[in-house]
């Protein structure tokens, strides 16, 4: 039987997964707006050839950074989802992973902090510890 405070771990994990997906979905819009800004700066009359070349490099590195953020976010979201599924099944590693996710979530003020506190309270509940160590 699943412990009562297991939902204190699983629900914040599911909310974190949803928020991560929403964050990843916003990345194309950020790229679009950055392209608009760089395009306007390059077409400005006061932009010299060397400024345009520098803006081209900045545009390249900004786009690359957005792709790197996307792939790291995707990996983090998959890790959170796998942890969510495993903690429901009572796997011991998932409780430790949920604690790590909660501690890192504490840095994400204010929503991540609240979710992290709930996850830590749930993860350190004796019934949840026993369920995860079976």
């Amino acid at each position: 039987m699943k412990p009562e405070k297991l939902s204190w771990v699983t629900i914040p994990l599911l909310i974190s997964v949803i928020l991560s997906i929403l964050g990843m979905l916003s990345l194309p819009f950020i790229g679009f707006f950055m392209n608009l800004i760089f395009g306007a700066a390059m077409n400005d009359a006061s932009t010299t050839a060397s400024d345009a070349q520098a803006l081209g490099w900045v545009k390249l590195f900004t786009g690359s950074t957005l792709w790197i953020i996307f792939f790291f976010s995707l990996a983090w979201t998959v890790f959170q989802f796998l942890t969510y599924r495993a903690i429901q099944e009572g796997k011991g590693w998932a409780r430790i992973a949920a604690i790590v996710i909660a501690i890192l979530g504490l840095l994400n003020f204010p929503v991540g902090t609240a979710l992290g506190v709930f996850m830590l309270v749930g993860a350190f509940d004796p019934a949840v510890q026993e369920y995860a160590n079976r």
Side-chain angles (χ1 to χ4, degrees), residues 15-33:
I15 292 170
S16 294
V17 167
I18 292 169
L19 291 176
S20 293
I21 290 170
L22 290 175
M24 283 189 299
L25 289 175
S26 71
L27 287 175
F29 296 105
I30 293 171
F32 172 75
F33 287 122

Side-chain angles (χ1 to χ4, degrees), residues 13-109:
L13 274 172
L14 193 58
I15 292 170
S16 294
V17 167
I18 292 169
L19 291 176
S20 293
I21 290 170
L22 290 175
M24 283 189 299
L25 289 175
S26 71
L27 287 175
F29 296 105
I30 293 171
F32 172 75
F33 287 122
M34 293 300 287
N35 281 336
L36 277 177
I37 292 168
F38 287 132
M42 284 185 179
N43 293 332
D44 188 27
S46 65
T47 303
T48 64
S50 64
D51 290 340
Q53 184 180 12
L55 282 172
W57 281 107
V58 171
K59 183 178 175 183
L60 174 73
F61 286 123
T62 303
S64 301
T65 303
L66 287 176
W67 278 107
I68 291 168
I69 290 170
F70 172 77
F71 286 118
F72 276 112
S73 296
L74 182 63
W76 183 250
T77 304
V78 168
F79 176 66
Q80 287 178 330
F81 183 73
L82 292 176
T83 302
Y84 164 76
R85 294 284 306 260
I87 195 76
Q88 283 184 327
E89 296 172 3
K91 308 233 177 181
W93 69 265
R95 182 180 157 274
I96 303 301
I99 291 170
V100 171
I101 292 169
I103 290 171
L104 291 174
L106 292 174
L107 302 172
N108 192 9
F109 185 79

